[in-house]
Amino acid sequence: MVRIKIWLILISIGLIFLDKFSDINKYRDLAAINIQKQTSLLRFRITNYPKLILLQHNTQKQLELENRQLKKQVEEYAIQLQQQTNQTHDLEEFKDLKAAHVQYDDFKANIAQAVIDVNYLLNSKLLIDKGSDDGIEVGQAVVNKLGVIGQIGLVNGKTAQTILITNPDYKIYLQNNITKSKMLAQGIGSNKLLVKYIDKNEKITVGDILVTTGLDDVYPANLPVAKVTKVFYENTGFNSALCVPVVDFNKLQYVLVLKNAN
């Protein structure tokens, strides 16, 4: 019994010595601190996890809203830039038409704006923003700086309809820009014209530009009208050709309405 007590006393003295003079105390304290940190972090995550999820959700919503607003601003700026570009282009085209105005000495010119309407274009017609109040009359020529567009077919007070050169009701005498050989052109719809009565000896080829003759008193002479895309060699005394307008009707902005001054 005495031995046991002695051994317990020795063990106690040994533990006190180890605790005081060895690194066990330091390691124990470090382990305790680390366990406390991990426990506190775990407690914080468990307590604040719903708040973190809500904060992340709100942040995502805010970012999406800001992204939509930024995208809308970019689109608005793009539209403004396009409008400025169109206005600049319109002004340049208007100036070009005013300059072209001088070329038609025997004609009075009236500048009008084209109203692009798909329903009109599908029927080979074009609406302009000037009518009888501005001196527009049926039969007057409609052109721009590139060439012939058509002829006034119907007039109201403030607007007028132009029959495009591709309209089946439209006919015009043309001539080869080089040989000056005369021929008859008629609109056939689908942005095309058919040229008839081409002399067999006429060396007309794909790419040739056909122009006005100036003999009808409607158009000045030598205005570009159509470009040859295909030639038909007939067995009769004349050939024929398929053509497309030199003017792109889908891009019209301003036009000149011409009236013979004589």
Side-chain angles (χ1 to χ4, degrees):
M1 189 67 179
V2 175
R3 288 182 177 181
I4 293 173
K5 289 182 178 179
I6 294 172
W7 278 108
L8 290 174
I9 292 171
L10 292 174
I11 291 173
S12 298
I13 294 171
L15 290 175
I16 292 171
F17 179 82
L18 288 174
D19 183 60
K20 187 174 182 181
F21 297 102
S22 70
D23 293 334
I24 292 178
N25 185 39
K26 181 173 66 176
Y27 294 140
R28 182 193 63 195
D29 292 344
L30 289 174
I33 292 171
N34 187 53
I35 292 172
Q36 183 179 6
K37 286 182 178 180
Q38 296 299 326
T39 303
S40 299
L41 180 60
L42 180 61
R43 188 184 302 112
F44 174 81
R45 288 179 176 176
I46 293 174
T47 305
N48 295 279
Y49 183 74
K51 296 180 181 179
L52 292 174
I53 293 297
L54 182 60
L55 178 61
Q56 184 179 11
H57 178 73
N58 292 338
T59 303
Q60 182 69 24
K61 287 292 185 181
Q62 181 65 27
L63 288 174
E64 291 177 356
L65 177 61
E66 292 176 356
N67 186 51
R68 287 196 297 269
Q69 291 175 342
L70 181 60
K71 184 178 179 181
K72 185 177 180 180
Q73 288 179 351
V74 170
E75 291 175 349
E76 289 175 351
Y77 291 148
I79 291 174
Q80 291 176 4
L81 180 60
Q82 185 61 47
Q83 288 175 342
Q84 292 177 353
T85 303
N86 290 340
Q87 289 173 357
T88 302
H89 180 268
D90 290 351
L91 182 60
E92 291 175 352
E93 185 168 352
F94 187 79
K95 290 179 178 178
D96 289 342
L97 278 180
K98 291 191 72 174
H101 197 181
V102 182
Q103 300 177 12
Y104 313 126
D105 295 333
D106 296 331
F107 291 81
K108 294 180 180 179
N110 201 335
I111 299 177
Q113 188 169 12
V115 181
I116 302 301
D117 189 311
V118 175
N119 293 324
Y120 279 95
L121 293 179
L122 287 175
N123 291 291
S124 299
K125 295 180 181 180
L126 175 72
L127 188 67
I128 61 174
D129 70 345
K130 289 191 176 180
S132 58
D133 293 349
D134 305 288
I136 305 298
E137 299 175 0
V138 172
Q140 291 178 344
V142 181
V143 303
N144 72 355
K145 63 179 181 179
L146 298 178
V148 175
I149 296 170
Q151 198 168 359
I152 299 296
L154 179 65
V155 179
N156 298 311
K158 301 294 183 182
T159 61
Q161 284 186 22
T162 301
I163 299 175
L164 299 178
I165 59 175
T166 54
N167 192 299
D169 294 331
Y170 182 87
K171 294 181 181 180
I172 184 174
Y173 276 100
L174 302 177
Q175 62 185 3
N176 189 305
N177 190 35
I178 300 174
T179 67
K180 305 303 180 183
S181 176
K182 306 298 187 287
M183 57 203 74
L184 178 67
Q186 181 176 5
I188 57 174
S190 302
N191 202 45
K192 293 181 177 62
L193 299 93
L194 182 63
V195 180
K196 304 177 182 178
Y197 307 118
I198 303 174
D199 191 280
K200 283 286 187 179
N201 298 320
E202 175 69 19
K203 295 182 179 179
I204 188 170
T205 59
V206 172
D208 283 353
I209 301 297
L210 305 180
V211 300
T212 55
T213 64
L215 301 176
D216 52 16
D217 292 329
V218 176
Y219 300 96
N222 299 315
L223 293 184
V225 178
K227 180 179 180 180
V228 177
T229 58
K230 188 174 183 179
V231 179
F232 301 100
Y233 297 98
E234 311 287 356
N235 294 325
T236 59
F238 299 95
N239 292 328
S240 58
L242 194 64
C243 301
V244 294
V246 295
V247 177
D248 187 347
F249 302 139
N250 292 298
K251 295 181 179 180
L252 290 174
Q253 295 290 334
Y254 292 93
V255 300
L256 277 178
V257 182
L258 303 180
K259 179 181 180 180
N260 197 319
N262 296 326

